[in-house]
Amino acid sequence: MAEIERWVSLVAFLKNEKLTRGFRSQEAQVVFKAGKNRDGYFDCADLCAQTEKAIELFEDNFPGTSMAAFGFDNAPGHQKQVDDALSACHMPKFTKKWHGKHSRCKMQHGTLPNGCAQDFYFPDTHEYMPGWFKGMKFILEERGFLEEANLWAECPQFKCANPEGAFCCHWILFNQPDFKAQRPALFELVEAHGHMAFFYPKFHCELNFIEQCWGTAKYHYRMLPLTQNEAQMEKNVQESLDSVDIIQM
C-alpha cells in the first residue's frame, strides 16, 4: 500500500499545473499551437524537449531520492532515433561520401565483436578518402563477415527469403548486437538521466488510459461556455486538462 501511495503522489506531482519548490515555479503543461504558420507540428523533438523539462522538474522536487518511470504511446513518431543512430537502413554498400540517411551528421561508432569501437568512416587524414563512409562491405569485413560482405546490399523491400539466414548486407548488420541495441531518442534521453522509459502495448485507443484522460478533458471543455477569443480558449484548455484527477488517471 505504501508503494501505491508513493506512486500516486509522483503521478500527482507530474500532473499539477504549477510546481513550486524554493525559487522554482514552472508549468508542467506545454501549450503548443499546431499549424504550418504557427508552432508547426508536434514531433519527436518537441516530445523530447517536454520530457526533458519533466525530468528537470522531477529531479528538482525529488533530488536523488526517486527514479521516475516515463510511459509513452507505442507510436512510430515516438520511436524515432537520434540523427546519428546506428541504422543499416539506407547504408551504401561501397565507400562513398555519405553523412547518414538524412545527410545531417555522421553515424556514431559501432562495436566490433571483440568489444572495441568501430568507426564507420575513414579518418580525415586518409590519403585518398578523408572522412568517407567505409561502406557496408568494408564494415562487414572488419567484423569478420568476409564471405557475407560480397552479398547484395538489400533484398527487395528488405524482405529476405529466410530471415534466419544471411541474404543481404543490410540484414546482417540489422541483426548485429550493437544495431539491435539502438534505443529510441526518447529512451536515450530518459535513461541518460538515470530514469526508466517504456512503451505502452499496442491496443485500441478506447482501451488506452491516456486517451481516456483526453476524452475526460474534452468532455469538460464542451461543458464550458463558448470561447470568445484565443486567450480564453487556452485558459479553458488548461482548466479542462487539470480537471482530470488522479483516480480517473
Side-chain angles (χ1 to χ4, degrees):
M1 183 62 69
E3 288 299 323
I4 296 177
E5 291 176 351
R6 181 171 182 77
W7 171 251
V8 171
S9 69
L10 295 182
V11 174
F13 155 76
L14 289 175
K15 172 191 175 294
N16 288 339
E17 179 182 0
K18 288 195 175 182
L19 306 171
T20 306
R21 183 182 179 87
F23 63 89
R24 179 177 296 280
S25 178
Q26 294 189 23
E27 290 192 3
Q29 298 171 355
V30 174
V31 177
F32 190 91
K33 299 177 181 178
K36 183 178 180 180
N37 298 321
R38 307 186 80 183
D39 293 337
Y41 298 95
F42 204 81
D43 57 17
C44 186
D46 296 307
L47 182 55
C48 283
Q50 184 179 14
T51 301
E52 190 163 19
K53 181 178 182 179
I55 292 173
E56 179 184 351
L57 292 172
F58 180 90
E59 292 178 345
D60 280 354
N61 284 265
F62 299 92
T65 61
S66 302
M67 175 184 291
F70 291 85
F72 302 96
D73 274 346
N74 203 331
H78 296 175
Q79 300 179 28
K80 185 179 182 300
Q81 298 175 341
V82 294
D83 289 338
D84 67 344
L86 295 180
S87 174
C89 188
H90 304 295
M91 264 192 180
K93 181 177 179 180
F94 300 104
T95 301
K96 64 180 298 185
K97 291 182 178 180
W98 184 73
H99 287 75
K101 61 181 180 179
H102 299 299
S103 299
R104 294 174 182 168
C105 59
K106 290 184 177 181
M107 191 171 292
Q108 61 185 258
H109 291 177
T111 305
L112 292 168
N114 63 4
C116 295
Q118 181 187 28
D119 194 337
F120 295 153
Y121 297 83
F122 290 112
D124 294 334
T125 56
H126 194 280
E127 184 177 0
Y128 303 109
M129 296 170 286
W132 286 32
F133 181 72
K134 293 178 178 179
M136 288 190 293
K137 176 177 171 61
F138 198 95
I139 291 170
L140 286 171
E141 289 174 346
E142 288 186 332
R143 293 179 177 232
F145 294 98
L146 302 182
E147 295 183 6
E148 293 85 346
N150 295 314
L151 296 171
W152 56 8
E154 180 179 302
C155 293
Q157 298 181 347
F158 200 35
K159 295 182 179 179
C160 298
N162 179 11
E164 301 298 326
F167 283 84
C168 66
C169 296
H170 274 169
W171 184 253
I172 298 172
L173 281 177
F174 179 78
N175 284 284
Q176 289 294 291
D178 52 345
F179 281 77
K180 294 178 71 173
Q182 181 65 61
R183 310 282 279 169
L186 272 172
F187 281 34
E188 288 191 354
L189 169 63
V190 173
E191 292 169 355
H193 287 81
H195 303 295
M196 297 184 294
F198 62 92
F199 284 131
Y200 298 117
K202 291 183 178 180
F203 41 39
H204 196 278
C205 60
E206 291 181 354
L207 302 176
N208 188 331
F209 74 86
I210 290 181
E211 298 298 338
Q212 298 290 337
C213 291
W214 279 114
T216 302
K218 290 176 182 177
Y219 176 81
H220 183 276
Y221 185 88
R222 288 194 293 268
M223 296 298 103
L224 296 174
L226 292 176
T227 56
Q228 304 299 320
N229 51 58
E230 186 172 324
Q232 186 181 4
M233 179 185 295
E234 182 176 321
K235 178 179 179 295
N236 288 346
V237 166
Q238 292 181 333
E239 178 185 327
S240 298
L241 290 172
D242 290 337
S243 72
V244 185
D245 59 34
I246 302 302
I247 300 301
Q248 289 173 308
M249 284 187 173

